[in-house]
Amino acid sequence: MISNGWAAAEAERAQSRLRQRELKLRALVSVASVMLNKHGYEGLSLADVASVLNITKQALYHYTSSKEDLLLKCYERALDLAEAAYDHADGAGTNGLEKIEHFVKFHINPNAETYAILDNLGALTDEHRKAISGRAKQLEQRMRGYIREGMADGSIAPVDPKFTEFWILGSLSWMPKWFDPQGDLSADEVAQSFITLISDGLRPRG
């Protein structure tokens, strides 16, 4: 009994340490993503990231091995968020258009996590670039599926699925470049404007 209790306590401590590391890594990736979107890969500095987090650059290396590794982590997190958005849309939407709307709301809301725009793929190693590009293309197919679903259920007018997917994801992916959470428009207002533009453009006429 005592032995089991000790083992359980040690396991809880290990889980707690793991959770703390995950939270710190998420904070690191969030800060780095903001800096990437604002300054690009060339303007990303590990020293600046450490300064924002109020830690030493040496401490930063406990969570990332290099600038390229940090870029990879930011892109992996961006794709994780995209996948979570699709999963959310699948459960919340009842037709193709609604799923697109819920996908947008997942990314644009007051509590949405910052994601890095995938515009510095050339800075990754060949192996990492292929992995990120391949996963991104797989996820894009889910948006194309919503568009086809919407055409089939009547919520979306006949359109070219590939072009429409480029239009929606291209517009959404560049939002972090210009949207200022402290600006005149709130996240909810931006989301609603974005959804209105998409919905008005996709709904059947007449």
Side-chain angles (χ1 to χ4, degrees):
M1 292 288 291
I2 295 176
S3 177
N4 289 342
W6 181 273
E10 285 297 309
E12 185 174 337
R13 285 179 57 193
Q15 287 296 320
S16 178
R17 288 195 297 270
L18 180 61
R19 178 60 177 161
Q20 286 297 315
R21 179 176 177 80
E22 289 176 350
L23 290 173
K24 290 178 180 179
L25 183 58
R26 180 172 294 187
L28 165 61
V29 170
S30 179
V31 167
S33 295
V34 171
M35 297 176 72
L36 275 169
N37 292 339
K38 186 174 182 179
H39 304 296
Y41 183 70
E42 294 301 322
L44 179 66
S45 163
L46 293 184
D48 289 344
V49 173
S51 178
V52 171
L53 292 170
N54 198 30
I55 61 176
T56 65
K57 187 176 178 181
Q58 191 62 36
L60 195 69
Y61 285 114
H62 289 291
Y63 303 95
T64 186
S65 60
S66 66
K67 184 175 171 179
E68 193 268 347
D69 177 66
L70 181 55
L71 179 67
L72 175 64
K73 284 181 168 59
C74 288
Y75 284 178
E76 288 174 335
R77 182 58 184 160
L79 295 177
D80 286 345
L81 289 171
E83 186 169 5
Y86 283 118
D87 291 344
H88 167 74
D90 284 340
T94 61
N95 59 44
L97 183 57
E98 283 189 4
K99 289 179 181 180
I100 293 173
E101 292 173 348
H102 282 289
F103 178 86
V104 172
K105 289 178 183 177
F106 184 94
H107 281 301
I108 311 176
N109 69 76
N111 299 313
E113 290 191 45
T114 301
Y115 56 89
I117 301 169
L118 306 186
D119 61 345
N120 289 282
L121 290 172
L124 296 172
T125 64
D126 288 343
E127 179 184 0
H128 291 160
R129 183 170 60 254
K130 289 177 181 177
I132 293 296
S133 296
R135 188 180 172 199
K137 289 178 180 177
Q138 287 181 336
L139 288 171
E140 288 165 4
Q141 290 299 320
R142 295 181 70 173
M143 177 59 69
R144 214 168 293 183
Y146 292 163
I147 297 165
R148 293 193 180 97
E149 180 181 345
M151 288 191 290
D153 63 37
S155 62
I156 294 177
V159 293
D160 180 273
K162 184 177 181 179
F163 171 80
T164 306
E165 172 244 310
F166 286 164
W167 168 53
I168 295 171
L169 295 183
S171 300
L172 185 61
S173 67
W174 281 94
M175 190 208 63
K177 284 284 190 181
W178 57 263
F179 175 58
D180 179 6
Q182 308 303 319
D184 295 334
L185 294 177
S186 68
D188 285 335
E189 289 173 321
V190 171
Q192 191 53 56
S193 295
F194 199 95
I195 289 169
T196 298
L197 289 171
I198 291 175
S199 299
D200 288 351
L202 294 181
R203 282 197 185 98
R205 297 291 187 267

